[in-house]
Amino acid sequence: MPPDQEPPVSPTAPARLAALLRRETVGGALLLGAAGLALVWANTPWRDAYTALGAVTVGPAALHLALPLSGWAADGLLAIFFFVAGLELKREFVAGDLRSPARALLPVAAAVGGMVVPALLYVAINRADPAALAGWAVPVATDIAFALAVLAVVGRGLPAALRTFLLTLAVVDDLIAITIIAVVYTQHLAVGVLLLALVPIALFGVLVQRGVTSPWLLAPLAVVAWALVHASGVHATVAGVLLGFTVPVKPGLAERFEHRWRPVSAGVAVPVFAFFAAGVTVIGPGGGVGTFADPVTVGVVVGLVAGKAIGVTGATAIVRRVTRARLDESLTGLDVLGLSLLAGIGFTVSLLVGELAFGGGTPADDHVKVGVVVASVLAAALATLVLRHSARRRT
């Protein structure tokens, strides 16, 4: 090396960790690991300690923010996940496939079909129990992080267009799921407080539109916006989406914010939420065969696995038949089937909807958790088989 040339600067340990957490496979592994740990702990003789940990209350009571740790995970940390989702949603609408109606038609139709059919199947299975019908939206959501992580592992030899289709489908899925959360599962709405929340959101938007990225200015506004949305009765994660929507895609600000916050979302927010949300006793007191036979559990599993497969593939086929929309020439019907099964991985948002529909810790919510875990594992396994077979056919 010449004497006047400085040696290359090696990345610091935090930078290497952040880069690692941006990998889809790593985020999916952490999510699965946290959920697995919760399930194991909840089915040991020390299950009461797990329940007690989630019930520990922290936060200022004067601001109505004295929440259990499980509540902070669902309302607080998960807002970071939805902030990143909001950034991704806007980027897709402004500069991605959703910008072009012709290119977006098939994945958008697939997303809608993949939400309507699971909901109908769930309702059909639980039609005899009006209380159980509150969970109709549980099987409509696709876990974008988990699904992309599985595709990253099994997708060798498959065309890049498959990931683009899945990403677009999942983005539309997220948008509809967020709307359902905001509209359907808001029981008590304080309109004045919600309108007040628009002030810090607007200030946040003005600053980022002017290129301000300082966390010392933006973070307090984001926290105030989150607290006001929480106080309004709308689920606080909606604040994350709205803040994400304010970030301009050009000149690359959305990508910069996503680059900064994705490791926090994938490495902390989603795994911690999964840890507190997925722990349910399926053996011993409170568990047993009845959990798996309950119509709520069956409705979730059938909705996510069969409903997503039927809805995504059916909507894709119908739109191709009645319009000029066409799949990317590198994709086959087998690829679409595998993708539709991947869409049945409904972890994060499905667990959240279950809590909102039935209340955390209730028997119905526990059955939702079992159904979501079983369905997600089954959907991932079936998708792996189909997609690996598709890849082998290409060789």
Side-chain angles (χ1 to χ4, degrees):
M1 178 182 298
D4 59 343
Q5 182 177 344
E6 295 184 2
V9 178
S10 60
T12 62
R16 291 195 297 270
L17 178 60
L20 186 66
L21 291 174
R22 290 187 191 98
R23 297 181 183 177
E24 291 164 351
T25 51
V26 174
L30 288 174
L31 169 61
L32 188 59
L37 176 60
L39 280 170
V40 170
W41 192 351
N43 289 278
T44 67
W46 305 279
R47 62 177 67 92
D48 290 341
Y50 170 81
T51 304
L53 178 63
V56 172
T57 300
V58 295
L63 298 177
H64 305 286
L65 291 176
L67 304 175
L69 291 180
S70 58
W72 279 109
D75 292 351
L77 284 177
L78 210 56
I80 299 173
F81 166 80
F82 279 98
F83 175 70
V84 175
L87 294 171
E88 196 160 28
L89 280 168
K90 185 171 183 179
R91 181 160 50 82
E92 286 298 316
F93 277 110
V94 174
D97 282 352
L98 295 179
R99 176 184 57 178
S100 168
R103 297 180 62 185
L105 181 57
L106 271 179
V108 168
V112 173
M115 301 184 83
V116 171
V117 176
L120 291 176
L121 288 176
Y122 179 92
V123 169
I125 292 171
N126 288 275
R127 63 187 182 280
D129 184 359
L133 292 178
W136 66 268
V138 171
V140 306
T142 294
D143 191 298
I144 185 171
F146 204 166
L148 289 175
V150 174
L151 182 60
V153 173
V154 305
R156 295 177 182 176
L158 295 171
L162 187 65
R163 185 186 186 279
T164 302
F165 194 107
L166 176 61
L167 179 61
T168 307
L169 181 155
V171 164
V172 176
D173 186 297
D174 274 353
L175 180 60
I176 300 175
I178 291 163
T179 304
I180 291 173
I181 290 172
V183 175
V184 177
Y185 295 107
T186 296
Q187 297 179 348
H188 307 288
L189 178 62
V191 177
V193 178
L194 183 60
L195 292 175
L196 187 60
L198 298 179
V199 176
I201 292 173
L203 290 174
F204 185 98
V206 169
L207 289 176
V208 294
Q209 290 289 337
R210 294 184 176 183
V212 175
T213 60
S214 170
W216 300 106
L217 293 174
L218 298 180
L221 289 172
V223 170
V224 172
W226 173 87
L228 289 172
V229 172
H230 180 273
S232 75
V234 176
H235 198 266
T237 53
V238 174
V241 179
L242 296 177
L243 290 168
F245 280 166
T246 68
V247 180
V249 172
K250 299 176 181 180
L253 276 179
E255 289 186 359
R256 289 174 59 186
F257 275 83
E258 190 177 342
H259 185 79
R260 177 183 298 174
W261 286 100
R262 184 172 293 280
V264 181
S265 173
V268 179
V270 173
V272 171
F273 168 75
F275 173 76
F276 283 112
V280 58
T281 300
V282 294
I283 59 175
V289 177
T291 300
F292 297 94
D294 184 77
V296 170
T297 309
V298 176
V300 171
V301 175
V302 172
L304 281 172
V305 180
K308 286 288 186 179
I310 295 170
V312 170
T313 56
T316 302
I318 292 172
V319 171
R320 290 177 66 189
R321 181 177 293 273
V322 302
T323 72
R324 295 183 178 181
R326 293 292 179 266
L327 283 172
D328 186 282
E329 60 183 14
S330 64
L331 297 179
T332 68
L334 196 60
D335 294 329
V336 175
L337 175 59
L339 181 146
S340 71
L341 290 167
L342 277 178
I345 300 174
F347 213 85
T348 307
V349 180
S350 291
L351 291 176
L352 176 60
V353 172
E355 287 191 3
L356 295 175
F358 297 114
T362 61
D365 181 45
D366 286 346
H367 294 174
V368 165
K369 293 176 181 179
V370 172
V372 169
V373 171
V374 171
S376 297
V377 172
L378 184 58
L382 292 173
T384 298
L385 292 175
V386 172
L387 293 176
R388 292 315 302 158
H389 179 62
S390 179
R392 285 194 297 269
R393 291 181 60 180
R394 285 180 161 88
T395 59

